Amino acid sequence: MPPIDPTTALTADRPLWPTLRRFLPYLWPADAPGVRARVTGALLLVVCSKLVQVYGAPFALQGVVDGMAPGSRSPVTLIVLLAAGYAVARFGTTLFDNLRNAVFESVGQEATRTLAVRVFGHLHQLSLRFHLERRTGAVTKVVERGTKSIDTMLYFMLFNIAPTVLELGLVIGIFWTKFGWQLVVATLAMVALYIWFTRWVTDWRAALRQRMNDLDTGAVAHAVDSLLNFETVKYFGAEAREGRRYEAAMTAYANAAVKSENSLAWLNIGQALITNMMLAGGMAWVVIGWGQGKFTAGNVVLVSTLLSQLFRPLDLLGMVYRTIRQGVIDMGAMFDLVDTPAEVVDAPGALPLRVTNGHLRFQNVRFGYDAGRDILKGIDLDVPAGSTVAVVGPSGAGKSTLARLLYRFYDLTGGTLTIDGQDIANVTQASLRAAIGIVPQDTVLFNDTIGYNIAYGREGATDAEIAAAARGAAIAGFIERQPEGYATRVGERGLKLSGGEKQRVAIARTLLKDPPILILDEATSALDSRTEAEIMATLESIERGRTTIVIAHRLSTVVHADRIVVLEAGRIVEQGTHAQLLARDGLYAEMWQRQAKEREEALAAE
């Protein structure tokens, strides 16, 4: 059973603490003492900032007011110094906060880098089935959101929530010693009510935001899918249809976004009501005490300043909580990707494949993409070292499946597949794939230069080796005629090149890889007859000295093979040379005659 698609799973109710526990090792990595030192230094700067903010500025301002309240002008110098101290304290708060950000910045970036690299690497370890069943645009959006959220989560947890708790503790201590337990109880009650209200409304908004994110992901995935299939859209004149579909997706997203943003207004109104009621009550309590001679005029300023400073991070608490909740959702979806198990893994103790001759053997091979629906039904096939064996048959017979199994993109459901007597299930995947080269039917190139795409065949190849591979694939002349030569860019998926040119690039990078085993999977089926004839000559030259499996639909391209195997409905029904199969007058002969007739009709129509 394939893993659950994390791009569509409901994550709005994802537990907070399990995700945070998963996330915290990136904040405090065991193998990075430098990162830990920076986190510690940043937290010390947070403490310094809060001490200056709570004990410096408010008390200095209180001293200014108390000094001026009696009406005497004599202590002007002291009052000026207190006013200057107030300004210095405010500057100190800003200074410590910015130093904290500078010290911590590399921690967030390192955590983001580590997580992004891990997820990217894991995605490449997942099976072909995983990638075929998911939209690439949706997966990349999940990774993008998840990696971006880690830096934000680190910042808010360390520099908003923790400092707010520290500041609350300091303020409560001042209120207890100077104004009595009543103001302490009122402040704690206000904070508790504020937190409860913020969480209640934010949880309600989380469902709205999750809906908005799902629609956003769907719109982006559709846009990417549509642009990747640009040619298909043009073929069917479906630009307007694609526009309408995208407009519908964006309209649904816009409506969800409006609901989400409108709910924010209610949150802000409720928060402001709670904090301002507390501010009014606290100041009223001190004014009443001032009327009874218990407090000074400066105490009113002190309470007002302390509460106002406490309200600022509290006012952000709603945004912080929403951000953390959203970060948990985004990171949770990304962790789902990380937790998705690889379908094909190396066996315990797997050894590197040792290719001595390149002898392939399929023994009673069975396989089905879905349970209960076999594609291959007991294939027995021997490919001697250095020989060329062609596999032909009707569409859906299982020809290309053989190549995927040889690359071990999937594990067999029955039987064994060996190379020089070694079961490929018991060797490392990296060594297996290093020994095999493929020229696929649909060559997809990276949106980079021709040189880069050829060099992809072997890491570290020199310019001379790349040029030699291009000459071997008979594309060097074309490249050298380009103004930028090997630096010529090929465009998205190689769309700037013709079908024949793309195939020659694929041949060149396979030549550069120089594998002992070669697969030609419908390598010329998308080409015209003239280009096919030219490329067939190139392909036949690179087959020499290698064990080659040629998967083909056009029988004219395999007449040179040492042996031709005919598949039908997942079974081998015939095999032999071209002449032997024609003489047998079976399925191969029938396919040959049909294709010969089609060629004649095509020539007559020209």
Side-chain angles (χ1 to χ4, degrees), residues 21-61:
R21 284 197 301 270
R22 184 88 180 266
F23 148 79
L24 288 177
Y26 294 95
L27 171 64
W28 195 256
D31 58 346
V35 173
R36 290 186 171 190
R38 282 184 171 273
V39 173
T40 302
L43 291 177
L44 289 175
L45 289 169
V46 167
V47 173
C48 292
S49 173
K50 286 304 173 185
L51 289 174
V52 171
Q53 183 178 354
V54 172
Y55 288 104
F59 280 95
L61 189 59

Side-chain angles (χ1 to χ4, degrees), residues 473-533:
I475 195 176
F478 165 78
I479 297 173
E480 291 164 1
R481 287 193 299 272
Q482 305 306 305
E484 298 181 75
Y486 285 87
T488 301
R489 300 193 71 87
V490 303
E492 186 81 30
R493 297 182 298 135
L495 290 178
K496 292 183 179 181
L497 303 182
S498 69
E501 290 158 357
K502 287 200 297 183
Q503 288 299 82
R504 290 190 187 279
V505 171
I507 294 169
R509 66 184 178 191
T510 300
L511 279 173
L512 187 63
K513 185 177 183 179
D514 193 23
I517 300 170
L518 180 65
I519 301 173
L520 306 178
D521 186 3
E522 304 271 13
T524 63
S525 63
L527 306 177
D528 60 84
S529 299
R530 180 177 177 180
T531 306
E532 178 185 64

Side-chain angles (χ1 to χ4, degrees), residues 5 7 123 130 134-144 337:
D5 188 349
T7 63
L123 286 174
F130 174 91
R134 284 152 181 82
R135 289 186 172 186
T136 302
V139 172
T140 54
K141 193 71 174 179
V142 167
V143 176
E144 177 189 355
L337 286 177

Side-chain angles (χ1 to χ4, degrees), residues 262-466:
N262 286 346
S263 65
L264 178 61
W266 294 108
L267 176 63
N268 292 336
I269 291 172
Q271 289 174 334
L273 177 63
I274 294 171
T275 55
N276 283 284
M277 285 178 60
M278 178 59 206
L279 182 61
M283 293 180 67
W285 171 260
V286 177
V287 169
I288 292 172
W290 171 79
Q292 298 172 350
K294 295 190 218 177
F295 308 132
T296 66
N299 289 149
V300 177
V301 176
L302 177 64
V303 170
S304 173
T305 304
L306 289 174
L307 287 177
S308 297
Q309 289 181 168
L310 182 61
F311 291 162
R312 279 198 292 272
L314 283 180
D315 284 341
L316 295 175
L317 184 60
M319 184 268 290
V320 171
Y321 181 69
R322 288 193 308 274
T323 302
I324 290 177
R325 286 293 300 175
Q326 187 58 42
V328 168
I329 291 171
D330 293 340
M331 290 178 62
M334 184 177 59
F335 282 136
D336 284 346
L337 286 177
V338 174
D339 292 339
T340 301
E343 183 180 344
V344 178
V345 296
D346 288 343
L351 297 174
L353 174 68
R354 299 184 308 278
V355 180
T356 54
N357 299 307
H359 180 193
L360 307 182
R361 192 169 183 186
F362 296 75
Q363 295 176 285
N364 194 29
V365 169
R366 295 181 176 274
F367 175 74
Y369 292 103
D370 301 306
R373 181 173 172 267
D374 284 347
I375 301 297
L376 301 179
K377 304 168 184 176
I379 298 294
D380 285 300
L381 176 61
D382 192 282
V383 184
S387 66
T388 296
V389 173
V391 181
V392 301
S395 296
K399 303 186 297 295
S400 294
T401 300
L402 290 175
R404 290 178 171 180
L405 293 179
L406 186 57
Y407 259 100
R408 208 182 164 208
F409 287 158
Y410 302 92
D411 279 329
L412 308 181
T413 53
T416 57
L417 202 171
T418 62
I419 298 177
D420 289 333
Q422 301 159 83
D423 190 335
I424 66 169
N426 296 326
V427 301
T428 62
Q429 297 175 68
S431 65
L432 171 66
R433 291 165 189 161
I436 305 172
I438 187 168
V439 180
Q441 173 183 1
D442 183 18
T443 300
V444 179
L445 303 181
F446 291 97
N447 188 4
D448 210 298
T449 65
I450 293 179
Y452 174 85
N453 278 281
I454 295 176
Y456 205 78
R458 177 160 53 84
E459 188 176 8
T462 65
D463 291 343
E465 290 171 328
I466 294 170

